[in-house]
Amino acid sequence: MKPLELSAANFERFIRNNQMVLVDFWAPWCGPCKRFAPVFELAAEAHEGIAFAKVNTETQPELARTMQIASIPTLVAFKNGILVHSKPGALKAAALERLLMKLQKPVDPPSLPRRE
């Protein structure tokens, strides 16, 4: 599925309503963003269990500030509404695939110390 364009109006709802979300913060003038866009779109088509979205930092500057986006492109990932990844830089297809596999691994809950 093609990534959904998010705005301040639908960002939180989208994050809450999807178990796994990957968001690309980008801008139309950004060369690395333009090169990364087709990689991101192909990954979105290949991973139906992940919700892919994009945020145009030019039209959504407040949202970019709220998410502390200082450089673009920046990939941000959420699991069950919790921020689990935020890193700037355009990835090649293989690196994005590795990140997606890592993000999909279940996380073991922390174990409590044993009482004796």
Side-chain angles (χ1 to χ4, degrees), residues 1 16 29 47 61-62 67 81 92 97 109:
M1 182 184 332
R16 272 195 322 269
W29 51 263
H47 294 274
E62 287 297 319
M67 291 301 301
K92 293 187 178 189
E97 192 63 32

Side-chain angles (χ1 to χ4, degrees), residues 1 16 31 35 64 71 87 90 94 98 101 109 113 116:
M1 182 184 332
R16 272 195 322 269
R35 287 189 298 277
S71 180
K87 189 171 181 182
R98 283 192 300 275
M101 293 299 113
E116 295 189 30

Side-chain angles (χ1 to χ4, degrees), residues 89-112:
L91 299 178
K92 293 187 178 189
L96 179 56
E97 192 63 32
R98 283 192 300 275
L99 173 63
L100 291 169
M101 293 299 113
K102 179 182 170 186
L103 291 171
Q104 290 182 77
K105 286 184 180 177
V107 176
D108 293 328
S111 57
L112 297 173

Side-chain angles (χ1 to χ4, degrees), residues 27-37 72-73 90:
W29 51 263
C30 168
C33 299
K34 289 178 184 179
R35 287 189 298 277
F36 179 63
I72 53 173

Side-chain angles (χ1 to χ4, degrees), residues 3-4 6 11 15 20-27 30 32-33 35-44 47 50-55 57 64 67-79 82-101 103:
L4 180 67
L6 296 180
F11 186 83
I15 301 304
M20 170 82 73
V21 177
L22 192 63
V23 183
D24 173 22
F25 283 83
W26 68 286
C30 168
C33 299
R35 287 189 298 277
F36 179 63
V39 172
F40 191 73
E41 289 181 15
L42 284 174
H47 294 274
I50 300 172
F52 285 75
K54 296 176 78 70
V55 173
T57 59
M67 291 301 301
Q68 299 178 350
I69 304 301
S71 180
I72 53 173
T74 292
L75 278 180
V76 177
F78 295 87
K79 278 177 122 173
I82 299 169
L83 178 67
V84 294
H85 177 86
S86 181
K87 189 171 181 182
L91 299 178
K92 293 187 178 189
L96 179 56
E97 192 63 32
R98 283 192 300 275
L99 173 63
L100 291 169
M101 293 299 113
L103 291 171

